[in-house]
Amino acid sequence: MVKFSPVGEKEVTRALIEGFAKHYARLAECDVIIVGGGPSGLACGRELARKGVRTLVVERNNFLGGGFWIGGYLINKVTVRAPAQEYLQEIGVPHEEVTEGLYVADGPHACSKLIAAACDAGVKFATITKLEDLVLRENNRVAGAVINWTPVEAMPHNITCVDPVALESKVLVDATGHDAAAVGKLEERGLFKRKGFGAMWVEKSEDLVVEHTGEVHPGLVVTGMAVSTVFGLPRMGPTFGAMLLSGVKAAEEVLRILKSQPAQVVAARA
Ligand code: 48F
């Protein structure tokens, strides 16, 4: 017979609250905040965390994975075009070649492996948490995220008004998909103009997304479908190779910025 330890409710409650407080106290200042826990954000986070970068993913939903659970049209198979099958191979997702250069995998398997790979690498997560605004410093350099619980938005203001909190970071990555929500916060202040993604053209879009992945404003890197929205690139529909490889490229960009940043930050604060 199984006999569980005689731990009671108060210990369970304390464990939750103390664990949460420790988690957030550490995350108030991290190296990188990635907004959006879809395929591009997870791939970016994994690369950074495995190189020892303190990385937080902020995700408005209670689940990670974004559009990667379902390949498209409510069908839970996902496709990638070569060479992105190498990434599936690397994280242990079974896949098969259906025609030369096109691979198919099970969405739940691919998505859960990617989430696990990011967790194993050391990425931390703030779920049910929405980017509400950006922290801007000298010359409008992005220096963090203003966040709030997602359900707060749905609460009527005459019942409660909940101020957000802010987390500081050296770099912020916009991995919010078609919305490009972090870049949108710059646009609201007249600091940027998103072009909006173009019509579907898979043969062109994936290469272009990876090519354009990078820093679009001091301290702000874009990855995944947010790149299409920012630069007006064609969309690619239900195929995910560019999301994974854009995430990897975004991580390289972040590492480059982090290497060049300390001197700038110190100089600016002096
Ligand atoms: O949409 P999503 O999967 O973006 P992605 O990583 O991949 C795009 C593909 O899924 C697909 C495609 C190409 O294959 O066309 O659409 O670029 O994941 C974006 C995540 O960001 C979250 C959102 O809930 C989703 O999980 N998100 C969006 N806005 C916010 C946010 C916000 N303001 N705060 C926090 N999370």
Side-chain angles (χ1 to χ4, degrees), residues 14-250:
R14 271 190 207 123
L16 291 177
I17 291 172
E18 286 170 12
F20 176 79
K22 218 157 73 186
H23 181 65
Y24 261 80
R26 250 191 261 127
L27 296 176
E29 187 189 15
C30 34
D31 295 323
V32 183
I33 294 173
I34 299 171
V35 187
S40 63
L42 291 169
C44 178
R46 172 177 179 252
E47 288 309 305
L48 290 170
R50 68 209 287 236
K51 294 194 168 71
V53 176
R54 287 174 309 153
T55 306
L56 170 71
V57 170
V58 170
E59 168 54 55
R60 69 182 170 190
N61 286 325
N62 186 32
F63 61 89
L64 299 164
F68 202 34
W69 292 104
I70 292 174
Y73 204 58
L74 295 183
I75 296 171
N76 72 357
K77 291 279 182 190
V78 293
T79 62
V80 303
R81 296 158 70 230
Q85 82 283 1
E86 289 165 13
Y87 193 91
L88 296 182
Q89 185 74 33
E90 188 184 317
I91 62 169
V93 178
H95 54 283
E96 69 178 281
E97 191 170 29
V98 285
T99 184
E100 200 186 335
L102 180 66
Y103 297 79
V104 70
D106 283 334
H109 202 158
C111 196
S112 50
K113 277 277 170 113
L114 180 57
I115 295 168
C119 293
D120 290 347
V123 177
K124 303 294 177 212
F125 297 94
T127 49
I128 336 173
T129 303
K130 198 169 171 194
L131 177 82
E132 197 176 288
D133 205 348
L134 298 169
V135 175
L136 297 181
R137 292 288 187 257
E138 55 287 329
N139 303 321
N140 293 316
R141 178 177 62 83
V142 176
V146 178
I147 56 163
N148 216 332
W149 296 114
T150 305
V152 164
E153 206 177 49
M155 291 159 84
H157 274 231
N158 58 348
I159 293 184
T160 182
C161 176
V162 182
D163 260 338
V165 293
L167 310 174
E168 292 186 30
S169 67
K170 296 173 185 151
V171 182
L172 189 131
V173 179
D174 188 337
T176 60
H178 297 78
D179 296 348
V183 180
K185 297 296 164 193
L186 292 178
E187 196 169 320
E188 283 169 21
R189 296 194 163 74
L191 298 171
F192 204 97
K193 181 84 191 100
R194 291 166 296 181
K195 292 200 171 139
F197 58 84
M200 204 178 288
W201 192 352
V202 69
E203 293 94 328
K204 276 201 172 281
S205 58
E206 290 211 285
D207 304 60
L208 286 170
V209 162
V210 177
E211 187 188 322
H212 284 75
T213 297
E215 193 176 24
V216 293
H217 179 92
L220 180 61
V221 168
V222 280
T223 183
M225 272 312 288
V227 178
S228 294
T229 298
V230 165
F231 291 100
L233 306 178
R235 63 194 299 188
M236 76 265 322
T239 193
F240 289 85
M243 300 301 104
L244 302 169
L245 301 191
S246 167
V248 172
K249 180 163 179 213

